[in-house]
Amino acid sequence: MCLSIVSIESVQAQKKKNKKSKAAAAVLATPKDKDAIKAYTAVITKDATTDDGLFKTHHVKKEYFYEIPFKVLNKDMLWVSRVAQIQEGLGGGYMNAGSKTNEQVVHWVRFQDKILLKIRSFSNTAPSTKAIAKSVEVNNFEPTLYAFDIKAFNADSTAVVINVTKFFSEDVPAISGLSSRLRKEYKVKKLDATRSFVNSIKSFPENIEVKQDFTYVASEPPTQSKSESISLQMNQSMILLPEIPMQPRLYDPRVGFFTVSQNDYGSMALKADKKTYIRRWRLVPKDLEAYARGELVEPIKPIVYYLDPGTPENLKAYMKQGIEDWQKPFEAAGFKNAIIAKDAPTPEEDPEFSPEDIRYSVVRYVASTTRNAVGPSVSDPRSGEIIESDIIWYHNHLRSYRNRYLLETGAANPSARTLDTPAEEIGEMMRMVIAHEVGHALGFPHNMAASYAYPVASLRDGAFTQEFGLAASLMDYTRYNYVAQPGDKNVRFIRQMGPYDHYATNWGYRYIAAANTAEEEVPTLNKWILEKANDPKYKFGRQSSTFDPQSQTEGVGDDPIAASTYGLKNLKYVAANLPAWTSDKTNNYDDLEELYGELLGVYSRYVGHVVTNIGGVFEDLKTPEQGGFIYTHLDEKSQKASMQWLQKNIFDTPEWLIDKNILQNIDHAGYFEKVRKLQERHLNSLLSFERIGRLIDAETTDTNYYSALEMLKDLRSGIWSEANRAKNVAIYRRNLQRSYIDRMGYLLKEEAAERRPGSSGFEGAISYDVALSDVRPLVRGELASLRSRLKKARNSGVNTVTQYHYDDAIARIDEFLNTTAGK
């Protein structure tokens, strides 16, 4: 009996033990346990397709895994998000296959049983040996882009495995192709997971390329509205940055370069030291001794551009020429064959070639009606080293160049007087546009002072233009020679490389072997600038200097009045012949309408160049050792001459534009409005707070100045000249005069736009208290004087329409003066 009792108790105890074991097993079998670190072979099974490279990537059934070696954890990697394929109309014309949507530096970090993808910033730095480095670290905490659970370790525990399927299948804003603006515009609701998936993941020795196919649910997609969908393919490139960054080169504003900047908190200057480096490719001579002897030497790694496989055959040669035109400037820096153009390999030659692959720089040819070309690049923010660039050429861009060629050179250039421009000339235009965009991709911004380097008269000289081109740099916006006149011989009409391009390439790219730091290079770099400092051919002018007459977009020559006078003379000839060159040939009016519209734009640019003279301030970037002033006002005589030119060529009605043979064949009405809009644009530009502020400011420093009062009097006198001569006012002038009163009223009521430091185009905006300045007293005084004159003029025998016009003008002035009294 005792034995039986013991036996029963033993069985019961065993049952309890089994229950506990089952309970424990149940706990271990919860979903959390499923995410626990497992054996490598349980995660990367025999069904895996593996690609070896920077990381091993594995495709197991419907899931993707990264096998990250511990040795690359915490290493800096550049992550670039690009559009690989795009739905028609998405982004409004400037978004296309090849468009970059984001660029960031990341690194992979282990934290406990997770791998974190962190975004790195180099805006604030300090040497790791200094105590302040710790403060920089804790005050610049790195955002975590994504957190991955560790799934396994490899066999020898030298790498960690994570599942990246969810990351690349989700709508992660930092790597998305849709900005918040586009999401709002198209009313995007969500990413549709059932129609979104990872297309491919490929690993290479230094980079990984991922393609994602995404479809979003959107109430108002750009096309195919009934689908309520937006689809695009994204390419994510991640490339390992150099362990040791390229030695940077310190930026000097006297030579134009795109830049990257850092705040160095290790400085002893009692503040963070802002260091700005130029953006450039890493070019190192293969043979340093030969290079030191002055011989041309090939770089260890040349810059290579591939042509998009979709490039039309008839354009490839011109594209290659445009790319390799930069070989000559690189020779000035001591390199030969520094930049090379190649056809993209065929699928048979390289089945893995992709234009989105960050290893390749490509000239992308985009089937789009957009008329433009751009030359962006991606760079290492630690040093400014350019890693890769994709130049974008939009298919319809040559149409713009054909039109501008006809309009700007047709008077002096018989071969431009046609819609069928000779193929070689079209090719030359494309070649120079590609070369210009390559210049951007090499680090060069626009140099708008380059056109001002040449006297206007030299642009009518065949020998001069054939040797030196139209401007000192291809990076200016001097596209065509609109100064040359009929009868000028052997003149070049299309832009080309200039001496500044060779100079700037040498300054930015010459290898300075003796310098071991960026700071050690500065004396040599400064010496090169000083050697050329007094020669206008080597001057750099910022595009954003909207106040500087010598740094103007689309300008030609060193005298805006002379250049625009020649340009208008040519444009009048073209306008008179436009129907003969277009509609008479095609038997329709489409091209006539298009070209007339663009002719108005060309005319407006010529006028705008002279407007800049009023209140113009020259910007000559220099250091104290060079002496003189950086900023000087244009002299009074030149400004008064500019005002006289404007009265004659824009504010006096441009009758030559009002051609019935054109207007009555392209539109049923609106002729007077076309002219008013043109005149109003330049009137408003003259009567801007910024310009009047500069004129007032000149009184504080100059003796030979054109005062704000003189400018306003001269402008009023010219625009209202009929009131001084008892003359009837025609419809175009009535429109202009009403625009004048409205703009003066604006100056009485409104405030100047706030200056936004660092915003392009706002360098010309000065910040001052308008209400306490001379602006409103001057404007109020001018309106009062005008009102007095109009009261007399309305009774001087003018016709009824003019009387009504003067009555209305007086009423408008009274309204402004009464409502702004005391302001």
Side-chain angles (χ1 to χ4, degrees):
M1 186 180 294
C2 289
L3 288 172
S4 296
I5 292 171
V6 171
S7 178
I8 291 168
E9 288 177 346
S10 178
V11 169
Q12 289 175 337
Q14 186 63 42
K15 285 182 178 179
K16 287 181 180 178
K17 186 177 181 181
N18 289 340
K19 283 183 180 179
K20 285 182 179 179
S21 297
K22 288 179 180 178
V27 171
L28 291 173
T30 59
K32 274 191 174 180
D33 186 59
K34 289 180 181 177
D35 292 333
I37 298 173
K38 299 178 180 179
Y40 182 82
T41 53
V43 179
I44 308 303
T45 67
K46 56 181 175 45
D47 298 322
T49 301
T50 299
D51 195 11
D52 202 357
L54 175 63
F55 302 167
K56 282 184 179 179
T57 62
H58 306 284
H59 186 194
V60 184
K61 296 182 180 179
K62 294 183 178 181
E63 296 189 309
Y64 291 87
F65 297 87
Y66 277 2
E67 185 175 326
I68 308 175
F70 287 133
K71 65 182 181 181
V72 298
L73 289 179
N74 302 303
K75 301 288 187 184
D76 293 331
M77 300 182 188
L78 186 65
W79 189 300
V80 179
S81 302
R82 288 188 189 280
V83 176
Q85 297 190 56
I86 189 169
Q87 184 171 323
E88 177 191 358
L90 183 61
Y94 281 93
M95 188 174 173
N96 48 264
S99 289
K100 179 179 66 175
T101 60
N102 199 13
E103 173 186 341
Q104 55 199 325
V105 175
V106 302
H107 63 163
W108 301 82
V109 178
R110 182 178 179 181
F111 175 73
Q112 297 177 359
D113 61 350
K114 293 183 181 296
I115 295 295
L116 308 180
L117 181 57
K118 291 272 197 176
I119 301 174
R120 296 212 63 188
S121 171
F122 295 91
S123 297
N124 299 308
T125 65
S128 59
T129 55
K130 294 192 175 185
I132 198 171
K134 184 62 179 175
S135 180
V136 170
E137 180 183 351
V138 298
N139 286 286
N140 293 272
F141 188 60
E142 297 171 345
T144 299
L145 180 57
Y146 210 85
F148 303 85
D149 292 324
I150 294 176
K151 297 298 183 184
F153 297 100
N154 67 347
D156 58 1
S157 295
T158 58
V160 62
V161 177
I162 60 173
N163 190 328
V164 296
T165 312
K166 186 179 179 183
F167 173 62
F168 285 119
S169 302
E170 289 184 342
D171 187 17
V172 180
I175 61 173
S176 172
L178 289 183
S179 65
S180 58
R181 179 185 65 82
L182 293 179
R183 290 169 191 264
K184 184 177 180 180
E185 180 180 349
Y186 301 128
K187 292 183 169 55
V188 174
K189 298 176 181 177
K190 64 176 182 177
L191 179 72
D192 186 346
T194 64
R195 292 181 287 167
S196 302
F197 47 86
V198 179
N199 184 291
S200 65
I201 297 181
K202 296 179 180 180
S203 188
F204 302 98
E206 293 186 346
N207 63 300
I208 295 177
E209 304 292 326
V210 180
K211 278 191 167 60
Q212 309 154 284
D213 290 3
F214 282 159
T215 294
Y216 295 86
V217 179
S219 298
E220 297 182 9
T223 54
Q224 305 294 330
S225 59
K226 290 184 179 180
S227 71
E228 292 197 348
S229 300
I230 292 175
S231 293
L232 75 162
Q233 186 180 81
M234 289 297 297
N235 190 93
Q236 308 295 342
S237 296
M238 185 185 70
I239 187 168
L240 183 67
L241 289 173
E243 185 77 21
I244 301 174
M246 176 187 74
Q247 180 171 300
R249 181 155 294 178
L250 285 164
Y251 169 67
D252 190 308
R254 294 171 292 176
V255 185
F257 269 90
F258 294 124
T259 61
V260 297
S261 295
Q262 301 173 358
N263 290 317
D264 182 4
Y265 283 89
S267 168
M268 301 302 291
L270 303 182
K271 67 178 183 66
D273 184 13
K274 184 176 181 180
K275 291 185 176 179
T276 302
Y277 304 125
I278 68 171
R279 294 177 59 186
R280 57 180 182 148
W281 297 78
R282 187 193 294 238
L283 292 185
V284 179
K286 281 183 178 179
D287 186 337
L288 287 172
E289 292 183 359
Y291 190 84
R293 293 194 298 269
E295 299 174 25
L296 292 180
V297 176
E298 290 186 344
I300 294 172
K301 184 181 178 181
I303 304 163
V304 179
Y305 275 97
Y306 293 90
L307 299 193
D308 191 312
T311 305
E313 291 294 332
N314 63 312
L315 300 177
K316 285 185 175 181
Y318 302 116
M319 281 193 168
K320 289 180 179 177
Q321 286 178 324
I323 295 166
E324 295 187 349
D325 276 339
W326 282 96
Q327 288 188 355
K328 283 294 182 184
F330 274 115
E331 287 179 7
F335 293 101
K336 67 179 179 181
N337 301 323
I339 185 167
I340 300 167
K342 293 183 178 181
D343 289 322
T346 64
E348 292 74 25
E349 292 169 334
D350 184 354
E352 294 193 321
F353 177 86
S354 167
E356 289 80 36
D357 190 330
I358 199 168
R359 293 177 297 166
Y360 305 117
S361 293
V362 180
V363 180
R364 303 295 298 260
Y365 196 95
V366 179
S368 166
T369 56
T370 298
R371 296 186 182 183
N372 205 353
V374 293
S377 62
V378 296
S379 60
D380 184 344
R382 304 171 304 172
S383 64
E385 179 185 359
I386 296 174
I387 304 297
E388 177 265 1
S389 87
D390 277 5
I391 292 165
I392 310 295
W393 177 276
Y394 296 95
H395 179 72
N396 278 22
H397 197 32
L398 281 175
R399 178 82 168 195
S400 294
Y401 276 84
R402 190 279 311 265
N403 290 357
R404 292 276 297 272
Y405 193 53
L406 183 153
L407 295 170
E408 295 185 27
T409 77
N413 180 13
S415 68
R417 301 169 189 167
T418 175
L419 298 174
D420 298 315
T421 311
E424 285 189 6
E425 292 172 44
I426 285 287
E428 179 70 2
M429 296 173 208
M430 183 180 210
R431 172 184 177 181
M432 291 302 138
V433 179
I434 290 293
H436 177 94
E437 301 307 335
V438 170
H440 286 321
L442 295 174
F444 301 118
H446 291 132
N447 177 7
M448 293 308 180
S451 54
Y452 207 83
Y454 295 162
V456 169
S458 68
L459 299 171
R460 299 186 60 188
D461 184 326
F464 181 92
T465 56
Q466 293 297 341
E467 181 177 357
F468 297 105
L470 314 182
S473 173
L474 186 70
M475 302 313 296
D476 201 321
Y477 265 172
T478 302
R479 305 173 205 266
Y480 296 117
N481 185 350
Y482 59 74
V483 162
Q485 298 294 295
D488 292 346
K489 303 297 184 183
N490 194 35
V491 170
R492 181 174 178 86
F493 290 101
I494 301 171
R495 61 182 170 176
Q496 66 180 28
M497 289 275 183
Y500 173 87
D501 300 314
H502 294 75
Y503 159 73
T505 304
N506 176 72
W507 191 92
Y509 280 93
R510 180 165 286 277
Y511 189 79
I512 305 175
N516 295 315
T517 66
E519 288 73 17
E520 289 180 10
E521 291 184 342
V522 170
T524 299
L525 298 172
N526 186 54
K527 175 175 173 288
W528 292 342
I529 293 173
L530 293 179
E531 287 173 352
K532 307 290 188 183
N534 297 318
D535 191 331
K537 294 193 297 295
Y538 305 104
K539 174 181 169 57
F540 173 70
R542 299 184 301 158
Q543 181 179 4
S544 54
S545 297
T546 54
F547 52 82
D548 188 351
Q550 64 191 340
S551 295
Q552 298 204 64
T553 299
E554 314 285 351
V556 180
D558 65 349
D559 183 345
I561 291 178
S564 291
T565 299
Y566 280 130
L568 278 183
K569 185 178 179 182
N570 287 338
L571 205 56
K572 290 175 183 178
Y573 178 91
V574 170
N577 288 280
L578 205 53
W581 298 346
T582 57
S583 53
D584 290 358
K585 303 290 184 183
T586 62
N587 199 33
N588 69 63
Y589 294 107
D590 294 345
D591 291 292
L592 176 62
E593 182 176 2
E594 179 181 328
L595 281 159
Y596 180 77
E598 293 190 28
L599 181 145
L600 297 180
V602 172
Y603 167 53
S604 183
R605 282 194 292 273
Y606 295 166
V607 172
H609 295 155
V610 180
V611 169
T612 304
N613 276 350
I614 309 295
V617 179
F618 291 119
E619 180 180 61
D620 295 301
L621 300 171
K622 58 178 66 177
T623 54
E625 68 178 323
Q626 292 176 252
F629 297 111
I630 293 177
Y631 297 104
T632 54
H633 294 272
L634 183 63
D635 64 274
E636 179 186 16
K637 181 180 178 182
S638 297
Q639 292 193 56
K640 287 185 77 71
S642 298
M643 178 61 77
Q644 292 169 1
W645 190 95
L646 292 169
Q647 294 286 359
K648 177 182 177 182
N649 291 288
I650 181 67
F651 297 137
D652 285 353
T653 304
E655 301 285 351
W656 60 277
L657 283 176
I658 309 164
D659 186 336
K660 291 191 294 185
N661 293 322
I662 297 175
L663 293 175
Q664 290 185 237
N665 284 316
I666 65 175
D667 207 341
H668 74 289
Y671 315 138
F672 66 84
E673 183 67 4
K674 281 184 170 65
V675 174
R676 187 196 67 79
K677 283 183 177 179
L678 270 173
Q679 293 177 320
E680 184 180 69
R681 175 183 178 184
H682 297 291
L683 175 67
N684 290 352
S685 180
L686 279 172
L687 294 175
S688 68
F689 288 116
E690 290 78 16
R691 197 176 310 278
I692 296 172
R694 291 197 298 273
L695 289 168
I696 294 172
D697 205 54
E699 299 180 33
T700 67
T701 56
D702 287 21
T703 54
N704 178 23
Y705 61 86
Y706 187 40
S707 72
L709 177 59
E710 283 182 279
M711 187 276 281
L712 291 171
K713 280 187 173 180
D714 289 346
L715 183 63
R716 171 173 57 85
S717 177
I719 287 180
W720 294 90
S721 60
E722 294 91 340
N724 295 320
R725 294 180 291 176
K727 184 178 178 183
N728 293 327
V729 186
I731 182 172
Y732 295 102
R733 293 281 290 179
R734 295 197 298 268
N735 289 339
L736 170 65
Q737 290 170 0
R738 282 189 285 269
S739 292
Y740 169 89
I741 294 174
D742 280 355
R743 186 63 179 182
M744 293 290 274
Y746 169 87
L747 294 175
L748 279 179
K749 296 188 302 180
E750 303 299 329
E751 297 294 333
E754 289 187 17
R755 184 176 185 179
R756 298 199 299 270
S759 297
S760 180
F762 273 77
E763 286 83 348
I766 62 173
S767 179
Y768 66 101
D769 192 324
V770 171
L772 297 180
S773 73
D774 283 343
V775 173
R776 286 179 178 149
L778 290 172
V779 171
R780 191 171 280 108
E782 284 298 297
L783 286 176
S785 295
L786 176 59
R787 180 178 56 184
S788 177
R789 167 52 58 188
L790 295 180
K791 285 181 177 180
K792 294 177 182 178
R794 71 170 309 283
N795 299 316
S796 59
V798 294
N799 62 21
T800 302
V801 173
T802 301
Q803 284 182 349
Y804 288 170
H805 168 60
Y806 285 161
D807 287 341
D808 177 73
I810 292 166
R812 287 171 184 254
I813 293 171
D814 285 341
E815 182 180 355
F816 282 128
L817 292 180
N818 291 335
T819 57
T820 60
K823 282 194 174 183

